[in-house]
Amino acid sequence: QYVPVKGDHVIGIVTAKAGDVFKLDVGGSEQASLSYLAFEGATKRNRPNVQVGDLIYGQFLVANKDMEPEMVCIDSKGRSSGMGIIGQDGFLFKVSLGLIRKLLAPKCEIIQELSQLYPFELVLGMNGRIWVKAKTVQQTLIIVNILEACEYMTAEQRKQALAKLSGH
Amino acid sequence: FMQRGLDSHTKKQLEEEEKKIISEEHWYLDLPDLKEKESYIIEERSFMPCEDLLYGRMSFKGFNPEIEKLMIQMNSRKCKEEEIEEEEKMEADVSDEEMARRYETLVGTIGKKFVRKRDQRVLHDEDEDGNSNMRPSKKAKKKFLKPQD
């Protein structure tokens, strides 16, 4: 179970749009709120195009046990720096929080090995959610399977699996 | 009239007695004052600073060039000082030497603007002569020629 922490970058799913505020499911005990002004270049007239069911990568502005967590897609200098609506296509899946920490470690072999295979894009949320997008559906699914299995495979098994794939 | 003073006096006495009774009822701890220890424990709820985690958005082999730029930016924040210094050096488009040369010539050209006409001739002549001696004598000033009758 994920506990929202201030400053953490997470992937949220838009569940409701209540006027000026979006409700995001973050995998925690409560839904997080996200204001439409918390995007780069958003003004009252220029609203971001967010629909229910969209994926959003943002960070927590407020996250304590007394209040509803609040998210923003903008950093302290007003730039989006990669946050915001995650584009079309791609695949979202859940893994354990421990695996995310492993994957985000400075020298993560899994990610380095995967990056040698083929071009793809990856977004890791600290709430245990990963979004992957590659050129073909098959490639995407391969990456998803490897990442999910990485929890239980040893390094050798992983290298074997990757060697098979790169052989193809 | 003394009675009023007495009344206020008795009132004060009564108040004091009441206070005594109340304060006796309060419980006091007979423990010595404990010094407050400064706690050296800071609570940190996020994993990010603990393990120095990378930025969550990544792209490989040029799938999304904007994100690849971001990756370089974000991950270079770790090696902050070195990177910033290098970037500052690179941003200077014109080197110091060129700047110095430019300024030398610049001062000359702007100085000429403010020179008066007579001095201009001097300047002009000096430029032409260069190393050799000054011209023997300048041409005689043209005088007004009277029209011959």
Side-chain angles (χ1 to χ4, degrees):
Chain A
Q1 174 70 309
Y2 174 68
V3 173
V5 173
K6 180 175 173 176
D8 252 6
H9 295 266
V10 293
I11 299 182
I13 307 177
V14 180
T15 55
K17 195 170 163 181
D20 293 341
V21 147
F22 307 112
K23 289 287 177 203
L24 295 175
D25 168 36
V26 194
S29 51
E30 270 191 35
Q31 301 213 332
S33 69
L34 171 63
S35 161
Y36 75 99
L37 288 171
F39 291 85
E40 187 177 9
T43 59
K44 285 187 188 172
R45 295 201 181 168
N46 180 18
R47 292 174 182 230
N49 185 17
V50 177
Q51 306 301 323
V52 173
D54 274 354
L55 292 176
I56 302 225
Y57 187 64
Q59 64 180 347
F60 282 108
L61 186 66
V62 167
N64 48 30
K65 59 182 169 77
D66 305 314
M67 286 167 56
E68 178 196 45
E70 208 179 301
M71 275 181 59
V72 286
C73 289
I74 201 173
D75 66 8
S76 52
K77 294 191 182 174
R79 298 177 300 202
S80 70
S81 63
M83 295 187 275
I85 307 175
I86 298 178
Q88 297 295 313
D89 308 327
F91 190 86
L92 178 76
F93 62 104
K94 273 195 214 174
V95 290
S96 69
L97 304 180
L99 183 62
I100 299 274
R101 260 188 294 144
K102 239 205 288 183
L103 290 172
L104 280 176
K107 293 196 179 171
C108 176
E109 291 182 352
I110 308 173
I111 300 241
Q112 284 175 359
E113 285 169 17
L114 272 181
S115 63
Q116 305 297 319
L117 277 181
Y118 27 65
F120 68 97
E121 198 188 327
L122 181 67
V123 179
L124 296 161
M126 296 290 291
N127 53 346
R129 293 183 183 167
I130 306 185
W131 181 85
V132 181
K133 180 176 171 184
K135 282 189 185 166
T136 68
V137 177
Q138 256 191 354
Q139 289 180 349
T140 313
L141 289 174
I142 291 172
I143 299 176
V144 169
N145 285 326
I146 293 184
L147 285 171
E148 277 180 338
C150 271
E151 269 204 78
Y152 307 110
M153 283 203 290
T154 63
E156 282 182 14
Q157 288 172 330
R158 198 176 63 229
K159 284 176 190 173
Q160 281 178 8
L162 286 167
K164 275 192 218 169
L165 285 168
S166 52
H168 288 300
Chain B
F1 88 110
M2 277 300 287
Q3 275 190 349
R4 277 183 210 169
L6 274 173
D7 279 347
S8 65
H9 190 62
T10 47
K11 271 184 199 174
K12 279 181 198 172
Q13 275 185 341
L14 279 172
E15 280 179 25
E16 279 171 26
E17 280 170 30
E18 281 180 32
K19 277 184 196 173
K20 276 184 202 169
I21 296 170
I22 292 170
S23 61
E24 276 176 13
E25 284 178 4
H26 286 165
W27 293 84
Y28 288 106
L29 285 172
D30 279 335
L31 298 171
D33 284 330
L34 292 170
K35 286 183 199 169
E36 268 191 28
K37 287 186 196 167
E38 273 186 41
S39 59
Y40 293 112
I41 305 174
I42 304 173
E43 193 188 331
E44 176 66 58
R45 307 182 75 190
S46 140
F47 279 115
M48 286 195 66
C50 297
E51 299 186 10
D52 213 9
L53 300 178
L54 298 175
Y55 188 60
R57 241 185 145 159
M58 306 182 204
S59 155
F60 300 108
K61 294 212 172 180
F63 201 78
N64 194 334
E66 292 175 2
I67 295 191
E68 301 215 340
K69 276 189 221 167
L70 256 184
M71 278 175 76
I72 299 173
Q73 260 185 27
M74 293 288 179
N75 294 331
S76 76
R77 273 187 200 171
K78 284 182 196 177
C79 336
K80 277 181 202 175
E81 294 170 353
E82 293 174 24
E83 295 276 342
I84 292 176
E85 279 180 21
E86 281 181 30
E87 279 177 25
E88 281 180 350
K89 279 184 196 167
M90 274 170 51
E91 279 181 30
D93 291 328
V94 184
S95 75
D96 295 335
E97 285 178 5
E98 269 196 53
M99 286 291 282
R101 262 183 266 151
R102 278 262 175 109
Y103 268 121
E104 266 182 4
T105 52
L106 196 70
V107 166
T109 45
I110 292 189
K112 277 189 197 170
K113 194 177 165 187
F114 296 107
V115 152
R116 292 189 200 152
K117 265 197 179 175
R118 289 187 186 174
D119 299 338
Q120 266 186 7
R121 257 202 224 164
V122 174
L123 258 180
H124 191 63
D125 290 340
E126 281 180 7
D127 282 344
E128 286 183 359
D129 282 340
N131 296 339
S132 57
N133 303 335
M134 291 283 291
R135 267 187 208 167
S137 61
K138 294 178 194 173
K139 287 181 188 169
K141 277 188 189 173
K142 290 184 181 171
K143 283 186 184 171
F144 178 67
L145 287 172
K146 277 188 188 171
Q148 292 174 348
D149 289 331

